[in-house]
Amino acid sequence: MSIAMQTGPNAAPPAIASFATRLLTLCYGGLAYLIFFGTFLYAVGFVSRLVVPKTIDSGSASSPMTALLVNLVLMSIFAVQHSGMARQGFKKLFVRFASPAIERSTYVLLASLSLILLFWQWQPMPTMVWSIQNPALAGVATAGGFMG
């Protein structure tokens, strides 16, 4: 019995199919990490209120309770996705449906997409949440924010 009969007359040879799969996995991973990099840079601008069009304080103000609830839901979406996909149970479930080679890239992509949703739908809080009056301490807090 020949290989062509076992895999079908129109099937690609295994070496080509393997190369194509690896190339697609590499492209998917590269795209996921590019999206992450853009999301990370946007996050810096979002919280520091620099360069980006939508910041933590911009947008139409709603009631404090509405803003608090919307923002808590958005942060919860990120927290559940971020911590849930990091668990071994989820990883075992994931590899039942997809290749383990794309697990990390998928985690990074979905975390980035949940942050993009957070940036897009974030509601500014119309009341002061916290304030640092001492200029030296404010500088330390700002420097700490820039350092991550």
Side-chain angles (χ1 to χ4, degrees):
M1 192 179 251
S2 73
I3 292 175
M5 290 176 64
Q6 290 177 358
T7 61
N10 296 325
I16 294 173
S18 176
F19 176 74
T21 301
R22 289 192 320 248
L23 184 60
L24 281 173
T25 300
L26 178 66
C27 290
Y28 175 71
L31 179 64
Y33 279 88
L34 279 174
I35 291 171
F36 160 75
F37 186 63
T39 304
F40 177 78
L41 292 178
Y42 196 96
V44 171
F46 184 78
V47 297
S48 64
R49 300 181 310 234
L50 299 172
V51 182
V52 298
K54 175 104 167 62
T55 66
I56 198 165
D57 292 332
S58 68
S60 59
S62 56
S63 72
M65 188 55 70
T66 300
L68 179 65
L69 289 174
V70 168
N71 295 344
L72 283 175
V73 167
L74 292 167
M75 289 186 291
S76 296
I77 289 170
F78 175 76
V80 168
Q81 179 280 322
H82 198 264
S83 62
M85 285 187 74
R87 305 269 184 253
Q88 286 301 321
F90 181 86
K91 291 178 182 185
K92 289 177 185 175
L93 180 66
F94 183 86
V95 298
R96 291 171 66 193
F97 299 100
S99 169
I102 64 167
E103 184 269 327
R104 185 67 183 172
S105 297
T106 302
Y107 172 83
V108 167
L109 177 62
L110 292 177
S112 297
L113 292 176
S114 65
L115 281 176
I116 290 168
L117 175 67
L118 183 142
F119 300 148
W120 174 43
Q121 292 298 311
W122 185 263
Q123 302 290 308
M125 302 290 284
T127 57
M128 180 67 66
V129 177
W130 63 276
S131 175
I132 300 175
Q133 300 300 323
N134 184 315
L137 290 178
V140 169
T142 302
F146 280 115
M147 291 189 310

